[in-house]
Amino acid sequence: MDIATIIGILLAFGALFGMAQMEHVEMAGLFLPAPMLLVFVATIGCGVASTTMKDALAAFKAVPKAFTGKVTPPQTVIDDVVGLAETARANGLLALEQEADKHDDPFMKKALQNIADGTDGDELRILLEDEIESNAAPMRSASAFFMGLGGFAPTVGIIGTVVSLTHVLANLGKPDELGPLIASAFVATLWGLLTANFLWLPFGGKLRKLAQLEADRQTLLMEGLLAVQAGSQPRLLGERLTAMVPPSARGTTGKATKGATAGVDDQQLAA
């Protein structure tokens, strides 16, 4: 579980609460049902109107992933691919069909099955690239939906403020009531800005990041498996895949890479 989203949202709301306490703002005055109803319902309504119902429902179903989504570290992918390269080198590409049954990742299973079936390398690359793009599409669509909500919310809040101000103007003859009425009028703007920047935009940004990380993982896996199909030497394959990963995301050398290096050294000594 990646707690970055939880920590970020808690920090944002905590800072708001802290400011309210320092400014001696009555919190009850910020939680007014009418402006909150307008901002939440109208914003979501505008978002649904801007897309299809299927995509809107899928976007809300993707919200838990913003809190729990975690992508496999690149080093784990590299270690798995190097291990597969050792298996293919020792037992041939047909042995990868049995390896496919050991993995739960549908993308890897499809790639290994096609390699074992003797699919042409160029055709397999096209197939896997299309698979990567189609796998990322739902998460990107969900991200775009919440980014759209982040754009609608502030404007909806302003609409709520304008509506409330018409009520204020209708009561200009009651000076004692103008202060509370004006204060409550701006609550809609507050919630519009707050929900956009504390909820919708963070959700959209996190889902977009998760989609990119998963696409990067599958791309790394694709390059590795295509190299396995081409008969790449395990140790060099591990080094090549490591070079594809940004330095900050590289982990320590895994067991598979170490085993591959040892295996090559033994072959050289035997020769």
Side-chain angles (χ1 to χ4, degrees), residues 100-117:
D101 298 332
K102 300 178 183 179
H103 292 83
D104 296 328
D105 182 8
F107 182 81
M108 179 178 280
K109 291 174 70 73
K110 177 176 289 189
L112 291 176
Q113 187 63 54
N114 278 275
I115 291 174
D117 291 342

Side-chain angles (χ1 to χ4, degrees), residues 6-26:
I6 297 176
I7 292 176
I9 291 177
L10 289 178
L11 284 175
F13 279 99
L16 175 65
F17 179 78
M19 175 189 173
Q21 293 299 312
M22 294 174 67
E23 294 289 338
H24 305 289
V25 176
E26 293 185 6

Side-chain angles (χ1 to χ4, degrees), residues 133-252:
E133 185 62 27
S134 63
N135 288 341
M139 194 74 80
R140 289 174 180 166
S141 177
S143 171
F145 177 80
F146 286 110
M147 287 295 187
L149 294 188
F152 289 126
T155 305
V156 172
I158 293 174
I159 293 173
T161 297
V162 172
V163 172
S164 296
L165 287 177
T166 60
H167 180 59
V168 173
L169 295 175
N171 289 273
L172 290 179
K174 303 175 182 179
D176 295 340
E177 299 180 8
L178 289 181
L181 288 175
I182 293 174
S184 63
F186 284 98
V187 172
T189 298
L190 169 65
W191 278 99
L193 294 171
L194 188 149
T195 54
N197 293 282
F198 286 14
L199 295 177
W200 309 135
L201 293 179
F203 286 168
K206 184 60 174 289
L207 293 176
R208 180 174 59 190
K209 181 63 176 179
L210 289 174
Q212 183 59 51
L213 290 174
E214 179 63 14
D216 291 343
R217 182 192 74 84
Q218 292 182 351
T219 299
L220 184 67
L221 185 57
M222 176 189 70
E223 295 294 342
L225 293 178
L226 288 174
V228 170
Q229 183 186 39
S232 294
Q233 194 260 8
R235 180 179 63 83
L236 294 178
L237 175 57
E239 293 178 355
R240 175 193 169 191
L241 295 179
T242 300
M244 294 175 60
V245 179
S248 60
R250 296 175 187 174
T252 57

Side-chain angles (χ1 to χ4, degrees), residues 61-77:
K61 290 180 180 178
V63 170
K65 295 181 181 179
F67 297 94
T68 62
K70 191 173 182 180
V71 179
T72 304
Q75 190 59 52
T76 301
V77 177

